[in-house]
Amino acid sequence: MSWQTHYTIEALLNAAEIAAQRCSTLTFDLFDTLLIRRTHDPDLVKPATARFIAAKAEAAGFFFSWEQVQDLRDTVEQAQRQQTSQHFEDHEARYPDFMTTVLQKIFQQEDVSSLLHEVTRYELGMEQAMLVPRAKLVQWLRSMHAADKKILVLSDVYLPAEHLRQLIGHAGFLDAVDGVVSSADSFLAKASGKAFPLVQEQYGLTYDSWLHIGDNPYSDGLRPSGFGITALVLRDAAEKHRKSVEKRYYNYSLGQPFWRGRSLQQLSLPLEEENLPQPFLYRYGFLVLAPLLAAFVQGIMEACLQEGIRRLYFFSREGWLLEKIWHILAPVLYPASPLPEVSYLYVSRMALAGASCAHQGMQRSSADIVFLPAGNRDFRDVCRVFSLDAEPFQPHLARVGLTAETVLSGSHHGYDPDSRRRFNLLFRDASFQEEVRVQTADANLALQRYLEAQGFFAHPQVALVDIGWMGTIQRFLFDAIKHRPDTPVCRGYVLAATRGITYPEEPKNTLRGLLYDRDRFDLAGSSILYARDLFEEACRAPHPTLNGYALKEETGYELVFRTVEDYTGQAEKEQDAYYAPLQVGILEGVHRYAPAAAMLGCTLQDLKPWLNYLMVSRLAFPKTREVMEIRHRHHLDDFHGQHQPTDKHSKGQRHLWDRGEVALRYTPLLRLKYFITGIRHRLRE
Amino acid sequence: MDKRPITTRGFDMEEGEIVRIFRIYAMNRLLPLGFFAGLTKFRQLAVLTLIHGCGRLLFAWLMPHEARLTRLYAKLKKKRQKQQAQPPIAGA
């Protein structure tokens, strides 16, 4: 009897439907038939396991590179295959056997059962992430199971049936399968044809009422048909096309670093039933923001491991999403490495500004930060930001010829540079600084109590993570606690460091931008500055901002949050609801990013050229529709006051992403004009 | 808001990412856009554009001839290897 070959899943199912009418048993090949692989090469999963074993070995004091682990695995597996071939026709291997030998050789101990369990769990996890059920075939399998046909899965693979059951269970159709047979258990494979009599005997089957479906013309076509089994072979052209695309990206990425990120994204793309129609914001989150944010968090992990940091805090509110990303990435990318313990820290510029003045008084650089946003105009804005009562300062202001309403910002009408000069004199005025200290003492004490409760002072070194941009939160936080002898070394990591006001770096307090840092010339990376609000809002937690820290008798401190009842609070809620699909898309994208990055062994540095491309193409040269859909509806910040700046200043502050639809669509070379302006700014910096 | 699948029928990222890469590649030749580690080569872009755009039809057409094509590729590969291994003719 010969077998039939089909080139589309639809043609195969039509033939299978007819053939199944006279069959009571249906057997299926598993890999590339019921489950398709995201990768073109199944062996690509192995280096991730080798990295895991190498990290475990390092932790146990045995130094092996992952390449050495991989070589050892290949050698041991090959030896087992040769040994098997002496007794069986098929050259089969069995994962638990050869992996036990590999682990015994690396860890130099006999009992490696718990290690084997960990390694197996990791490798199966990676396999699961790379396998997708072929939707139409699985659906048909279910219908056949419902029609009382016996359904068996046969596979020639080194994984025993127990492991295959786990993979099928994860794919979601184990309940429709009556038995799983793996060549690793019997060393009798489909390739030699020996598996078919074994299954026939084991399940009491008859060859003439048996239909076998697989993808290999030899193992799934020639061999079963030799026994009189009806055999259908699927050589799916669409699958071949998909794998060919993936293979090209992978091969190009080996020679051209630019393609590494694209290859990773190709592995992350949803397939089959995963590839459902999604709204624009979800797609944007999945394809653009997920790789950018995941690579950023991966970069923080790399830095923490390098610096030996054991404690990390994500700053509210953007740290909320970053912490979620961390928890998705950590068990996949660094499952055996000593990553720091992480937690979420409630902070904000407004809450920390006042607390930062309790010991050192108000610094001129801190006041300069207040006047960066054009909405802040006078001393009352300084008081709002630093949570100060303006009235007790009237005599101090009067001493230098100012009032609380004197314009101190160059962005407003009536500004006199001499007023600012006189205002700066107050920073050297002892009585002014004393008043500042008195008013901010309680907030500082409450902050310290909060940080103590969070274990902040228990480690010699901590990492602080924020979205960006000038590191103001970290600056204020460090200023508030630097008087304490137990202040840890603070290593700040931000998505982008713009350093609009020079960050006061010192050995105990550093700041580093991972995707962009103004201290390193990076034209493409600076594209992130086009849409800073987008990143802030995309990562923002669904809780109101922190207004301050207050003392409380029972707990020692109290976190005071902003009300959500006013216009700003309601507008934020509306914006959060609008961006909800964006956040879902980001998290889904990160779930796919993690195994792909682990498999390819990519670091932030490897991905940087592709991330630069994403930033340039999506932020500096976006499509009009993208800007219109994704631009924030409301971006409100208490730090940025409510005063209206001069027209000249407002016009100067208008960026590409602030332009209207008509200008974006019809103004010739608009994006190029902004990009050239950007180049000029970068060169000036 | 329109809903679309993320992966296109040509297995590209939605809305033809390859065209976008082509655009940035062309612009980068006129004006430095930043660090892309050499970006890409024209040939690679052309192959990828072809495979994303026409791969569906191409593979549907070629797949039934897979066995013959594999034999042909193997023969060509062998021939190429033989040519490379041949020592240069003395005096040529």
Side-chain angles (χ1 to χ4, degrees):
Chain A
M1 189 186 266
S2 74
W3 69 95
Q4 286 177 29
T5 304
H6 297 279
Y7 300 100
T8 62
I9 186 76
E10 290 78 17
L12 176 100
L13 290 177
N14 287 340
E17 193 68 51
I18 297 163
Q21 285 171 7
R22 53 185 170 75
C23 293
S24 58
T25 302
L26 273 64
T27 56
F28 292 84
D29 173 44
L30 185 61
F31 297 104
D32 299 322
T33 304
L34 285 171
L35 300 178
I36 57 170
R37 288 188 170 100
R38 294 183 200 278
T39 56
H40 69 280
D41 180 1
D43 286 349
L44 281 180
V45 178
K46 292 178 183 175
T49 310
R51 283 186 207 100
F52 176 67
I53 296 171
K56 293 284 294 177
E58 194 183 335
F62 302 103
F63 295 94
F64 281 83
S65 68
W66 75 264
E67 290 92 344
Q68 285 174 312
V69 174
Q70 184 57 47
D71 285 346
L72 183 62
R73 174 182 173 158
D74 291 341
T75 312
V76 174
E77 186 182 332
Q78 196 54 36
Q80 195 188 14
R81 286 184 191 280
Q82 273 174 1
Q83 205 182 355
T84 314
S85 69
Q86 290 170 5
H87 307 284
F88 299 90
E89 205 174 312
D90 297 290
H91 300 203
E92 291 298 289
R94 192 170 179 275
Y95 182 83
D97 297 347
F98 69 74
M99 192 49 87
T100 301
T101 313
V102 170
L103 295 175
Q104 281 170 341
K105 284 183 187 243
I106 291 174
F107 291 89
Q108 294 168 20
Q109 62 189 63
E110 269 305 300
D111 183 19
V112 288
S113 50
S114 68
L115 267 170
L116 178 66
H117 178 71
E118 274 184 71
V119 172
T120 306
R121 199 176 57 185
Y122 183 75
E123 181 150 342
L124 286 181
M126 290 299 297
E127 285 278 8
Q128 281 166 1
M130 286 296 133
L131 292 169
V132 184
R134 201 193 286 265
K136 287 180 181 169
L137 193 56
V138 169
Q139 198 184 348
W140 185 75
L141 175 148
R142 282 191 172 284
S143 69
M144 288 295 109
H145 185 257
D148 273 348
K149 309 272 185 194
K150 190 184 277 295
I151 308 289
L152 301 173
V153 174
L154 313 183
S155 187
D156 284 359
V157 70
Y158 55 70
L159 296 172
E162 183 49 40
H163 294 171
L164 298 185
R165 265 187 221 104
Q166 285 181 39
L167 297 179
I168 298 169
H170 184 262
F173 59 93
L174 188 60
D175 57 319
V177 172
D178 298 306
V180 180
V181 180
S182 168
S183 63
D185 293 324
S186 59
F187 298 145
L188 302 174
K190 290 183 293 174
S192 66
K194 302 278 185 195
F196 294 101
L198 174 82
V199 174
Q200 186 260 337
E201 197 181 321
Q202 202 174 336
Y203 289 92
L205 310 178
T206 49
Y207 289 129
D208 54 359
S209 64
W210 181 346
L211 169 65
H212 180 73
I213 297 173
D215 70 308
N216 190 312
Y218 194 80
S219 308
D220 301 308
L222 178 72
R223 289 303 189 194
S225 61
F227 290 98
I229 298 168
T230 310
L232 298 176
V233 173
L234 174 66
R235 302 297 293 166
D236 191 346
E239 259 302 284
K240 188 84 179 167
H241 176 202
R242 183 184 67 78
K243 285 193 175 171
S244 171
V245 171
E246 196 278 315
K247 184 181 174 183
R248 261 166 190 82
Y249 279 121
Y250 178 76
N251 286 344
Y252 288 163
S253 74
L254 300 177
Q256 295 279 120
F258 172 73
W259 292 113
R260 282 180 198 151
R262 180 66 185 87
S263 177
L264 186 147
Q265 285 215 267
Q266 191 65 23
L267 283 179
S268 314
L269 289 180
L271 303 171
E272 297 279 328
E273 286 289 273
E274 300 166 344
N275 195 27
L276 297 170
Q278 299 289 356
F280 171 79
L281 287 175
Y282 179 98
R283 302 198 303 270
Y284 198 90
F286 189 101
L287 292 173
V288 182
L289 299 184
L292 289 171
L293 295 172
F296 167 51
V297 174
Q298 188 182 351
I300 298 167
M301 289 173 176
E302 289 165 12
C304 288
L305 289 173
Q306 208 178 346
E307 301 273 343
I309 299 172
R310 305 309 299 269
R311 193 73 172 92
L312 184 145
Y313 294 93
F314 287 101
F315 283 168
S316 65
R317 290 183 291 167
E318 289 78 19
W320 178 80
L321 191 78
L322 298 176
E323 190 190 8
K324 280 179 183 280
I325 293 173
W326 176 284
H327 289 305
I328 296 169
L329 293 182
V332 184
L333 289 181
Y334 297 103
S337 302
L339 284 176
E341 184 193 339
V342 302
S343 57
Y344 184 64
L345 201 66
Y346 285 98
V347 287
S348 76
R349 284 181 298 182
M350 295 283 283
L352 288 167
S356 72
C357 303
H359 291 272
Q360 61 169 12
M362 190 185 288
Q363 300 296 298
R364 185 179 159 179
S365 57
S366 304
D368 288 344
I369 291 172
V370 175
F371 292 113
L372 275 182
N376 291 332
R377 191 190 65 180
D378 51 36
F379 187 71
R380 290 207 183 275
D381 289 310
V382 175
C383 290
R384 180 176 47 75
V385 169
F386 285 89
S387 309
L388 300 170
D389 179 7
E391 292 317 307
F393 288 101
Q394 297 286 8
H396 303 295
L397 290 168
R399 263 205 313 280
V400 291
L402 299 174
T403 66
E405 287 77 27
T406 307
V407 177
L408 299 172
S409 163
S411 310
H412 293 269
H413 284 297
Y415 172 66
D416 178 2
D418 191 51
S419 303
R420 189 68 177 268
R421 187 190 60 78
R422 277 180 281 139
F423 175 65
N424 288 342
L425 292 175
L426 288 173
F427 300 118
R428 290 200 294 269
D429 185 322
S431 55
F432 171 83
Q433 293 291 15
E434 188 51 36
E435 182 60 38
V436 171
R437 285 192 190 98
V438 168
Q439 288 199 32
T440 54
D442 286 357
N444 183 280
L445 192 56
L447 167 70
Q448 287 186 57
R449 286 179 183 171
Y450 171 59
L451 293 177
E452 280 163 8
Q454 295 299 312
F456 191 87
F457 301 104
H459 290 267
Q461 192 172 213
V462 295
L464 306 171
V465 180
D466 198 7
I467 199 89
W469 311 95
M470 292 196 300
T472 314
I473 292 182
Q474 188 182 328
R475 174 199 292 258
F476 287 158
L477 179 71
F478 191 76
D479 283 347
I481 56 165
K482 68 182 178 189
H483 63 280
R484 286 177 61 131
D486 56 354
T487 301
V489 174
C490 295
R491 302 264 175 249
Y493 299 102
V494 290
L495 186 75
T498 56
R499 302 176 190 273
I501 299 230
T502 310
Y503 190 79
E505 297 225 25
E506 55 171 282
K508 279 193 92 174
N509 181 25
T510 60
L511 183 78
R512 202 175 131 203
L514 294 188
L515 287 201
Y516 171 67
D517 196 319
R518 207 179 98 158
D519 278 357
R520 299 187 304 268
F521 181 78
D522 182 0
L523 190 55
S526 70
S527 306
I528 203 166
L529 308 181
Y530 275 78
R532 277 174 265 188
D533 297 347
L534 164 67
F535 289 91
E536 284 183 22
E537 281 156 15
C539 297
R540 198 165 61 192
H543 65 72
T545 187
L546 188 74
N547 262 358
Y549 306 91
L551 290 172
K552 199 176 182 185
E553 274 193 16
E554 305 88 58
T555 51
Y557 69 89
E558 184 185 19
L559 302 176
V560 184
F561 290 95
R562 195 188 187 290
T563 175
V564 289
E565 303 308 322
D566 63 355
Y567 170 74
T568 307
Q570 292 301 315
E572 261 193 11
K573 266 188 181 175
E574 192 189 321
Q575 179 66 31
D576 287 348
Y578 181 71
Y579 266 5
L582 190 76
Q583 288 194 340
V584 176
I586 292 172
L587 292 175
E588 197 50 48
V590 174
H591 272 290
R592 297 277 164 67
Y593 172 100
M599 224 181 65
L600 298 175
C602 290
T603 60
L604 171 63
Q605 207 52 38
D606 292 327
L607 299 174
K608 192 67 177 52
W610 177 256
L611 301 179
N612 280 350
Y613 159 77
L614 280 180
M615 289 188 278
V616 169
S617 65
R618 297 313 203 284
L619 304 175
F621 294 94
K623 292 179 181 173
T624 303
R625 197 172 65 89
E626 283 171 356
V627 178
M628 299 318 295
E629 291 260 15
I630 208 157
R631 188 158 56 187
H632 55 81
R633 300 293 186 259
H634 305 281
H635 182 73
L636 301 150
D637 193 337
D638 288 339
F639 195 86
H640 292 213
Q642 300 295 324
H643 296 288
Q644 195 57 38
T646 57
D647 289 348
K648 189 182 162 197
H649 183 86
S650 303
K651 210 175 166 190
Q653 291 290 308
R654 226 165 151 210
H655 299 293
L656 178 72
W657 280 62
D658 301 323
R659 302 300 298 262
E661 185 173 2
V662 176
L664 284 167
R665 207 175 284 281
Y666 301 111
T667 309
L669 305 176
L670 183 71
R671 290 157 181 81
L672 201 60
K673 196 182 99 187
Y674 276 100
F675 195 80
I676 290 169
T677 309
I679 294 178
R680 277 217 314 268
H681 285 156
R682 297 295 86 75
L683 291 174
R684 262 191 228 142
E685 284 164 11
Chain B
M1 224 187 287
D2 66 330
K3 283 190 170 188
R4 277 190 224 169
I6 287 174
T7 313
T8 64
R9 282 162 66 88
F11 299 106
D12 199 358
M13 284 155 65
E14 61 128 11
E15 294 183 7
E17 187 68 33
I18 196 70
V19 179
R20 215 160 179 162
I21 299 175
F22 230 124
R23 222 178 87 208
I24 294 292
Y25 170 80
M27 282 173 64
N28 195 47
R29 293 187 78 90
L30 302 171
L31 175 80
L33 297 182
F35 168 72
F36 301 110
L39 199 61
T40 178
K41 293 173 183 165
F42 181 81
R43 189 166 173 264
Q44 292 175 342
L45 267 181
V47 169
L48 288 167
T49 308
L50 180 80
I51 207 165
H52 278 305
C54 314
R56 200 176 172 80
L57 286 174
L58 205 66
F59 279 91
W61 179 55
L62 291 177
M63 209 54 195
H65 313 290
E66 189 192 13
R68 265 170 287 172
L69 284 170
T70 310
R71 280 200 295 275
L72 179 71
Y73 291 148
K75 212 179 253 180
L76 289 172
K77 198 176 167 187
K78 214 170 169 185
K79 199 177 163 187
R80 208 169 38 239
Q81 279 170 348
K82 227 180 220 176
Q83 276 174 352
Q84 281 169 353
Q86 247 174 14
I89 301 160

